[in-house]
Amino acid sequence: MNILVVLKQTFDTEEKIVIQDGKISEDGVERIINPYDEYAVEEAIKLRDELGGEVTVVTIGPDHAESALRTALAMGADKAVLVDDESLFGDEYTTAKVLAAVAKKVGFDLILGGQMAVDSGAGQGGPRLAEELGINHVSTAVKVEINGTAVRVERDIEGDLEVVETSLPVLITAQQGLNEPRYPSLPGIMKAKKKPLDRYSADDLGITASDVQAKTEIVDQYLPPKKQAGRILTGDLRDQASELVQLLRNEAKVI
């Protein structure tokens, strides 16, 4: 089985976001595999070990994104693809178009990814890619079972479970609880250095920048305003209730 894992390199979730000139500063930040994508990598490796085949991890980004792929290779993935052509960087529309071109080039039976990226939170990657490829899509998976071409997925629906049955090829996005991602071992890290990592450009994928031009544009980015300290009311409860109503009406203007 050819399993393709699409992943994204994001800021470490402990990083403090700094805005400079309307852009997020990347100076000196620690980068990691998007946490939801780690579940996808782990599930791909487990399915590969159970069913046979190979796992290919792919991402779009500059040179530093290679470290995320090397981490996935150290976890146990077989090979990697980095699309490091700046003309192919863009929004969710662009990303889906480019990843679809990669998927068609390398081939796949199953595609796995995280249910969203923690930096954007858009959750558009999986559905858009599945649409581009014309295959079924199941999101927020917490359990995946494959028997031949039959696929059974248990998905999280905010406090309950929904069971979806479909067939290969299919794209599945991972939710927390699907598994417990392994840590790369020292032997795994050493082996990862020798595993194949291909770099693709627009020419390699047979597409042009105009084919995948972004549909959106970021015009500004800013941090939310600092929250003001709350106010504690004191005194008789009846007086507090009366004061609260007055504050909500005259100061907060919500009633």
Side-chain angles (χ1 to χ4, degrees):
M1 177 181 291
N2 292 325
I3 306 174
L4 185 66
V5 181
V6 292
L7 62 83
K8 183 178 183 180
Q9 187 182 58
T10 62
F11 281 16
D12 190 310
T13 51
E14 299 297 321
E15 285 286 345
K16 182 179 180 181
I17 302 299
V18 177
I19 303 293
Q20 292 182 343
D21 301 323
K23 295 183 178 180
I24 297 175
S25 174
E26 298 189 6
D27 294 342
V29 298
E30 186 73 21
R31 296 179 175 90
I32 60 171
I33 296 177
N34 174 51
Y36 289 102
D37 297 340
E38 281 192 307
Y39 299 121
V41 174
E42 176 64 27
E43 194 66 16
I45 295 168
K46 290 172 63 178
L47 289 171
R48 187 270 320 274
D49 292 346
E50 176 186 348
L51 304 171
E54 63 180 12
V55 175
T56 302
V57 289
V58 56
T59 193
I60 303 170
D63 286 343
H64 61 66
E66 180 179 335
S67 63
L69 294 176
R70 292 295 180 190
T71 298
L73 292 172
M75 289 173 68
D78 299 290
K79 56 185 181 179
V81 173
L82 173 61
V83 181
D84 57 356
D85 187 333
E86 289 189 14
S87 71
L88 302 181
F89 299 171
D91 61 5
E92 285 82 3
Y93 171 84
T94 305
T95 299
K97 288 282 188 181
V98 175
L99 289 177
V102 174
K104 292 173 183 177
K105 184 177 179 68
V106 304
F108 65 92
D109 298 299
L110 171 67
I111 300 178
L112 296 172
Q115 64 102 354
M116 71 172 184
V118 295
D119 53 3
S120 67
Q124 297 184 29
R128 281 182 176 272
L129 177 55
E131 183 70 17
E132 288 292 332
L133 295 171
I135 62 176
N136 289 337
H137 160 254
V138 185
S139 65
T140 59
V142 293
K143 186 176 182 180
V144 177
E145 297 176 341
I146 298 179
N147 184 9
T149 61
V151 181
R152 182 182 184 275
V153 181
E154 293 183 8
R155 61 184 300 266
D156 174 51
I157 50 171
E158 298 185 2
D160 210 337
L161 288 177
E162 178 180 72
V163 177
V164 178
E165 294 182 348
T166 183
S167 59
L168 298 174
V170 66
L171 186 150
I172 300 171
T173 59
Q175 171 65 299
Q176 184 177 6
L178 176 60
N179 52 52
E180 187 64 35
R182 69 194 68 190
Y183 288 101
S185 64
L186 181 57
I189 293 171
M190 300 305 293
K191 290 179 181 178
K193 296 178 180 179
K194 298 180 180 180
K195 290 182 179 180
L197 190 155
D198 295 326
R199 295 174 179 268
Y200 289 166
S201 66
D203 289 341
D204 296 322
L205 296 173
I207 55 179
T208 65
S210 60
D211 293 333
V212 298
Q213 186 174 2
K215 299 294 185 180
T216 60
E217 178 185 0
I218 297 175
V219 296
D220 191 19
Q221 297 181 92
Y222 52 88
L223 296 174
K226 292 183 178 180
K227 293 183 178 180
Q228 297 181 348
R231 182 182 301 182
I232 299 176
L233 304 181
T234 59
D236 181 77
L237 288 178
R238 182 171 296 181
D239 293 338
Q240 289 185 45
S242 177
E243 184 180 359
L244 177 60
V245 170
Q246 293 301 318
L247 289 170
L248 293 174
R249 176 178 295 166
N250 301 323
E251 187 172 310
K253 301 185 184 300
V254 295
I255 59 173

